[in-house]
Amino acid sequence: MRTTDYSNQIPGLILIEDFVGREEEAAMIDAVDDNQWCGLGISPNPELKRRTQQYGHLFSYRYRKVLEELGPLPEFSSAIVDRIMKQELMPNVPNHLLVNEYNLGQGIMPHTDAPALFGPAILSLSLLSACVMKFTHVETGHTLDILLPRLSMVVMTGDSRYKYKHSISKDHIDTASDGTTVHRDRRVSFTFRGEHHVFAF
């Protein structure tokens, strides 16, 4: 693993390369592809224009709230969760896993993961393909485009979590702030989050 600390540009932002190996990646992709995807007209969250899976609890993008408790995170994520906690990347064991699929031409608009719902650390693992993630300060407009290599984990805490929005373009070729280019392909991300509150259902 190689860690790049971007805190001198955006406080709280780090990138850990080779967080998983190729065999782990293949097993995780096989596991999610064997499960039910939603989005693209399929419930829950049928309004999404990309395919997703959620574990731990069900978050509604339309209503911006948690709708249902889904139980513990799946077995195929256990080794990753153990690694997260061993490296002290989150203050508490993550209880929400969001799996996003991005095919060529798909991205995500600038957003900050629901500050009132999810905890102080957002971690996202990039599988199958690299991409460039843009960070934009909500007040100053300061931006930084960083390359998220295949198999890497990006960790957002502090300012990068709360004061910046992050996004992924729909471009077929991405360019990072350092000039690195990447040709996009199918990318599957595993985003690990916690929560501040105990929800009543």
Side-chain angles (χ1 to χ4, degrees):
M1 295 184 193
R2 184 170 75 93
T3 299
T4 302
D5 190 339
Y6 289 95
S7 292
N8 62 329
Q9 300 176 77
I10 298 180
L13 180 63
I14 67 171
L15 178 76
I16 306 171
E17 295 184 45
D18 297 315
F19 198 83
V20 299
R22 291 293 180 100
E23 290 185 3
E24 281 183 292
E25 175 192 54
M28 295 167 74
I29 294 298
D30 285 346
V32 294
D33 279 341
D34 282 342
N35 289 344
Q36 177 66 50
W37 292 93
C38 75
L40 299 175
I42 300 172
S43 292
N45 293 314
E47 71 277 5
L48 292 180
K49 292 182 172 57
R50 64 184 184 281
R51 298 200 303 172
T52 69
Q53 295 179 22
Q54 294 194 57
Y55 300 91
H57 47 258
L58 175 62
F59 175 74
S60 169
Y61 292 86
R62 176 175 293 172
Y63 300 110
R64 305 295 294 174
K65 66 179 182 179
V66 172
L67 298 180
E68 182 182 351
E69 186 66 49
L70 300 176
L73 298 190
E75 181 65 30
F76 62 76
S77 69
S78 295
I80 308 304
V81 171
D82 290 345
R83 210 165 296 158
I84 288 170
M85 299 313 296
K86 184 176 181 180
Q87 297 190 30
E88 300 180 344
L89 300 176
M90 296 184 76
N92 298 299
V93 177
N95 57 13
H96 185 245
L97 169 59
L98 171 64
V99 182
N100 277 308
E101 178 190 60
Y102 299 92
N103 286 309
L104 197 60
Q106 292 181 319
I108 190 168
M109 296 294 289
H111 69 285
T112 298
D113 290 39
L117 292 181
F118 300 116
I122 304 294
L123 280 64
S124 191
L125 179 68
S126 295
L127 302 180
L128 296 182
S129 177
C131 77
V132 170
M133 182 170 280
K134 177 184 285 290
F135 289 84
T136 306
H137 196 283
V138 296
E139 294 178 356
T140 68
H142 169 253
T143 63
L144 181 67
D145 298 313
I146 70 166
L147 176 67
L148 306 184
R150 180 180 182 178
L151 309 178
S152 71
M153 179 78 84
V154 63
V155 181
M156 292 172 266
T157 62
D159 285 5
S160 68
R161 160 74 175 103
Y162 292 111
K163 295 185 178 181
Y164 281 78
K165 293 184 177 183
H166 55 276
S167 59
I168 298 171
S169 80
K170 297 179 180 180
D171 297 341
H172 290 197
I173 300 176
D174 280 339
T175 304
S177 292
D178 65 1
T180 304
T181 60
V182 58
H183 291 258
R184 297 274 292 277
D185 203 343
R186 185 195 185 203
R187 173 177 174 266
V188 176
S189 66
F190 280 53
T191 299
F192 295 89
R193 307 189 281 205
E195 60 185 356
H196 286 298
H197 312 291
V198 175
F199 292 93
F201 297 96

